[in-house]
Amino acid sequence: MQASKSDLATLVATVERFGESLRRGTSRVYDPVRVGVLRVAAERGKVRPGEIAEVLDVLPSSVTRHVQVLAEVGFLVITTDPSDRRASLIEVTEAGREQVRQFVQAGVDVFGAVVADWPGEDVRALTGLLDRLLADWAEKGTDHQRAHRAKRRFGWSET
């Protein structure tokens, strides 16, 4: 049986509340874009700042500022791209990798405390459903957002 409009409205509200709660909680502890820059560099090896901006869906100028700060503290190294001397390549250092490891462990610790009373079966079920939601979102969500955005404009969001 398909979900009703009421079911979907409840899902949207719940996901939005969870996203906002996560955003508020994390922004008190760290800059999510800065951590994102570090994580992408750790996952991809040598990478251009523009690619990082694309992956994170943020402005390239924002990535540039974060890369500079992360390089100053020794978490990233900036080199010239040999295939295009005008471009830079970003690479994570071992100290940067350690920061990513600590960040991941902090997430495990926090989520572990939140779901400490949950049965493992519930944690695995939620993880599976979230993985499925993310995969379906990647496949269908962005196109539907663009189509919806083209049809409707929210005046307050354009200012």
Side-chain angles (χ1 to χ4, degrees), residues 31-95:
D31 183 316
V33 176
R34 192 165 295 164
V35 171
V37 167
L38 197 56
R39 288 182 88 161
V40 171
E43 291 166 3
R44 299 200 173 196
K46 289 185 179 181
V47 62
R48 286 184 174 186
E51 185 180 342
I52 295 172
E54 189 175 312
V55 169
L56 298 178
D57 194 22
V58 296
L59 295 172
S61 59
S62 174
V63 169
T64 300
R65 285 191 304 275
H66 290 297
V67 163
Q68 290 169 345
V69 169
L70 291 165
E72 287 172 9
V73 296
F75 296 155
L76 295 177
V77 174
I78 306 168
T79 58
T80 301
D81 185 341
S83 66
D84 180 355
R85 310 275 312 150
R86 297 169 296 164
S88 296
L89 290 175
I90 310 307
E91 187 173 14
V92 70
T93 64
E94 190 50 44

Side-chain angles (χ1 to χ4, degrees), residues 106-118:
V108 169
D109 292 347
V110 169
F111 268 88
V114 170
V115 300
D117 298 335
W118 291 28

Side-chain angles (χ1 to χ4, degrees), residues 6 12 25 27 67 88 98 121 130 135 138 140 155:
S6 175
V12 168
S27 66
V67 163
S88 296
E98 180 56 29
E121 169 184 306
L130 289 172
K140 306 168 192 168

Side-chain angles (χ1 to χ4, degrees), residues 121-140:
E121 169 184 306
D122 288 353
V123 172
R124 289 185 292 277
L126 178 60
T127 302
L129 289 169
L130 289 172
D131 281 340
R132 181 177 167 192
L133 178 63
L134 289 169
D136 287 347
W137 189 268
E139 181 183 334
K140 306 168 192 168

Side-chain angles (χ1 to χ4, degrees), residues 4-20 133 137:
S4 69
K5 285 195 179 224
S6 175
D7 292 336
L8 294 174
T10 301
L11 173 62
V12 168
T14 300
V15 169
E16 286 175 347
R17 279 194 337 269
F18 178 72
E20 181 58 22
L133 178 63
W137 189 268

